[in-house]
Amino acid sequence: MSGRAVLLLSLAAFASAAALRGSDAILPLIAGTFDTTPGGASAVITGFALAYGLLQLVSGPTADRIGKYRTVCWVTAISAGGNLLCALAPSLPLLVAARFATGATVGAIVPLAMAWIGDTVPYEKRQPVLARFLIGHMLGIALSTSAAGFLGELYGWRVVYGLLAVLYALTAVLLFAELRVNALTRETRPHAGGLLDAFRRMATLFRLPWVRVILVIVFTEGVLLFGATAFIALDLHLRFGLSLGASGTMVASFALGGIAYAAFAGRIVPHLGERGLVLGGGACIAAGLLGLALMPAAGWAPACIIVLGLGVYMFHNTLQVHATQMAPEARGGALALFACALFTGQSIGVWLASRVVDAAGAQPVFAIAALGLFVLASDFRRRLSIWAGRNAPR
């Protein structure tokens, strides 16, 4: 497999994460521009996540027909235009609409990249490769929150979306160049029948019990985890008086936990096993979120966020590996359903959390998410034990 091809997919994942999390740190600026509350401004996150999830139902079967790498190239190019529309939006409803349109294309990048890796990397070697691929995603989360906060304060929130448009355009050029010279990126696995048959095959995946388990778990993770993490920067800004740049920089430490996991995944995974990763990840997530809820000063935030990041990647990377294997004969569709469940859950979670944040602050949201995610991790660990024999790698 071409390391350069994976590196470029990681760059696209960086852009995807930047578009996903870049809005978190600039919510107060958007709220001020359009005379609304931070909770009201969070519609730019909810709309993006909703489209991010729902449009997977189209991109997955389409990619199974025309090629996953090729589809990533095209949606990356289209996403450049979507972010440009965000930068030019004259009102909050139009900004939300532009974010919805952008989420519809950006959402295809990471799941289809993972599906392409799943097609080309044997199962027993896949988890470390996925972890390395996701370094781009982690760095996108880290740098976007920090950079968006500082750039927003200096030049306004529109500059953030303008720079995202440039990032997507450059990434698309590199991906198309790789598509031309690397035959592996042009491989497809065509099925008999047309695109309608691809959609039908995706619908039949719901008949598989393990698919239903994975989708319910990742949906619940989306509701609890992303509903909480979307408001960390805002909470630091409002509760401790940090600037948007400083609060975004603290949130960026989330990626340090993820990078630590990626760097040592080759050693951690064999030592702990999947069930150990899931339970340990759930414990770290709960500790990080409870720390954020109870911390007496902002100085505690980076340590809490690093522990949270470590836990999220331990838990979620295990979910991702099972998602790549739950239906190998229709991997694009399976990963599309996985992402649809995750980001539909996120959109619902952010919407619910925004109501609590406007009424009582973010601390109750952090505490509820901590408890819920630890229970979820414990349940997933139990289900892994039950299904281990039946869901053996193919």
Side-chain angles (χ1 to χ4, degrees):
M1 186 180 63
S2 170
R4 186 177 60 197
V6 175
L7 177 63
L8 292 178
L9 289 177
S10 188
L11 177 61
F14 174 92
S16 175
L20 178 66
R21 295 266 68 97
S23 296
D24 296 358
I26 56 175
L27 284 181
L29 298 176
I30 295 173
T33 297
F34 298 120
D35 193 24
T36 186
T37 66
S42 70
V44 301
I45 300 174
T46 303
F48 182 93
L50 184 62
Y52 195 115
L54 292 179
L55 269 292
Q56 303 297 329
L57 303 179
V58 176
S59 63
T62 301
D64 277 336
R65 293 295 302 169
I66 69 173
K68 299 174 182 68
Y69 209 99
R70 181 178 287 108
T71 304
V72 171
C73 293
W74 280 109
V75 297
T76 302
I78 297 170
S79 297
N83 279 286
L84 183 60
L85 291 176
C86 292
L88 301 175
S91 66
L92 182 59
L94 288 177
L95 175 58
V96 172
R99 284 280 290 171
F100 183 91
T102 306
T105 55
V106 169
I109 294 173
V110 172
L112 292 185
M114 289 169 51
W116 184 81
I117 292 171
D119 285 344
T120 54
V121 180
Y123 182 87
E124 63 274 9
K125 299 179 181 179
R126 199 174 299 159
Q127 190 149 359
V129 173
L130 282 172
R132 289 192 293 271
F133 156 72
L134 287 169
I135 288 176
H137 195 267
M138 300 170 201
L139 290 175
I141 291 174
L143 297 180
S144 65
T145 52
S146 177
F150 283 114
L151 289 170
E153 286 183 318
L154 291 174
Y155 305 110
W157 59 267
R158 296 182 188 277
V159 171
V160 174
Y161 293 119
L163 290 175
L164 282 172
V166 174
L167 173 62
Y168 274 100
L170 292 175
T171 303
V173 170
L174 294 173
L175 287 168
F176 276 113
E178 184 68 15
L179 189 66
R180 292 186 61 185
V181 302
N182 187 342
L184 188 59
T185 64
R186 298 192 296 274
E187 287 188 4
T188 61
R189 294 186 175 183
H191 300 278
L195 188 59
L196 183 59
D197 290 323
F199 286 105
R200 288 172 179 161
R201 278 190 296 274
M202 186 170 67
T204 63
L205 296 178
F206 287 105
R207 299 176 186 174
L208 303 175
W210 191 242
V211 171
R212 295 197 298 270
V213 168
I214 295 296
L215 294 182
V216 169
I217 289 174
V218 78
F219 173 84
T220 308
E221 179 197 26
V223 172
L224 295 171
L225 178 64
F226 292 104
T229 57
F231 295 99
I232 294 176
L234 177 67
D235 179 64
L236 293 171
H237 174 65
L238 296 180
R239 183 156 46 124
F240 299 109
L242 298 183
S243 69
L244 296 179
S247 60
T249 299
M250 285 195 173
V251 174
S253 58
F254 179 93
L256 295 178
I259 291 171
Y261 169 71
F264 297 102
R267 301 176 184 177
I268 295 175
V269 173
H271 180 70
L272 293 180
E274 289 185 334
R275 293 189 287 273
L277 283 173
V278 166
L279 189 61
C284 288
I285 292 170
L289 286 172
L290 282 176
L292 289 171
L294 301 175
M295 62 183 180
W300 290 87
C304 295
I305 295 170
I306 290 172
V307 171
L308 172 63
L310 175 63
V312 167
Y313 282 97
M314 290 172 67
F315 178 78
H316 189 69
N317 189 239
T318 306
L319 268 175
Q320 288 171 324
V321 169
H322 277 271
T324 66
Q325 192 63 19
M326 62 186 182
E329 69 284 356
R331 192 171 273 119
L335 267 294
L337 289 175
F338 180 82
C340 178
L342 174 63
F343 287 95
T344 301
Q346 175 179 339
S347 65
I348 293 172
V350 172
W351 181 81
L352 291 173
S354 70
R355 270 57 187 166
V356 178
V357 168
D358 279 346
Q363 291 171 278
V365 173
F366 298 155
I368 293 169
L371 176 61
L373 285 162
F374 183 75
V375 171
L376 182 69
S378 300
D379 181 65
F380 185 37
R381 180 182 182 275
R382 178 182 65 84
R383 292 179 184 275
L384 281 172
S385 298
I386 295 172
W387 285 94
R390 304 178 194 176
N391 200 50
R394 302 183 187 183

